[in-house]
Amino acid sequence: MLPLLPVLALLIGNYFNDLSAGSIAETSLYRWLASINFSIVFIIGITLPLAAWIVRREAFWLFVPGSLTMAIGGAFSVRFFRQRQPLRALTSIVLMMILLLISSAVWVFPFLERFKSPRLFASEIKRNFPATAPLYIYEDNMNDFNFYLERDVMPVLSSPGEIEKLAGA
């Protein structure tokens, strides 16, 4: 799939070039679909901080930069699509995506890492159990605990019966 990306980028660039030059007609369906799509992006940008406030209040301020980026980028994109300015719309979309990626990488992803990454849990295990203590994993073959616990092999238990058998031993 990766070799298709440069070709896809050229096709999209050529399409927007033809749109801006007037070589192809900008249909009302195109404008309406683009406007609806970026109106949804605008609405998500507005409601995301509210959702963060309801679910995790400590994450509220972490989501505000990305939410503002989505709301402003969505609003400008809709405006430019309505005014038949495809290059400005494309520019606002690209700028919105870049700023959203940066704000996510700086604020949101580090916050979410504590929920997704087993690193903190593995450090607690290392602190509370000696390196020679037998440890088992239940239905997880990703080897991330092996990495964080600095163990070559950790047996994987795949059924409740294996747990019961091990507990009975």
Side-chain angles (χ1 to χ4, degrees), residues 38-47 49 64-78 96 100:
F38 287 100
S39 294
I40 292 170
V41 169
F42 171 77
I43 291 168
I44 291 171
I46 290 174
T47 58
V64 168
S67 297
L68 285 174
T69 300
M70 288 177 69
I72 293 169
F76 274 108
S77 298
V78 169
M96 175 183 63
L100 187 60

Side-chain angles (χ1 to χ4, degrees), residues 17-79:
N17 184 43
D18 288 346
L19 272 177
S20 65
S23 303
I24 57 176
E26 191 176 315
T27 65
S28 61
L29 177 65
Y30 159 80
R31 281 192 312 281
W32 277 104
L33 287 177
S35 295
I36 289 170
N37 181 51
F38 287 100
S39 294
I40 292 170
V41 169
F42 171 77
I43 291 168
I44 291 171
I46 290 174
T47 58
L48 190 60
L50 176 64
W53 182 263
I54 292 169
V55 176
R56 291 236 177 236
R57 288 191 181 187
E58 70 270 16
F60 175 79
W61 291 107
L62 302 174
F63 283 92
V64 168
S67 297
L68 285 174
T69 300
M70 288 177 69
I72 293 169
F76 274 108
S77 298
V78 169
R79 178 179 172 214

